[in-house]
Amino acid sequence: MAALRAFARWIGDSIGHAFGNPREEHATLPPNVGVQPYRDQPHRR
């Protein structure tokens, strides 16, 4: 029974590495390079 649990954990870990973790990948994205759209709204006085 322990071998089956170890195998299931190994399969789950392998699938996790193959598909990746979206939250983890989003945190490690490089900054955008190049011209960025202007999104600020000017304030009138």
Side-chain angles (χ1 to χ4, degrees):
M1 192 67 160
L4 187 58
R5 283 190 189 140
F7 179 71
R9 182 175 288 161
W10 177 79
I11 288 289
D13 197 35
S14 299
I15 290 173
H17 285 293
F19 288 110
N21 183 353
R23 280 181 255 140
E24 190 177 277
E25 290 176 11
H26 183 68
T28 59
L29 285 176
N32 294 327
V33 177
V35 178
Q36 301 298 316
Y38 182 73
R39 297 180 190 265
D40 193 22
Q41 306 239 336
H43 300 287
R44 289 190 175 183
R45 291 188 173 173

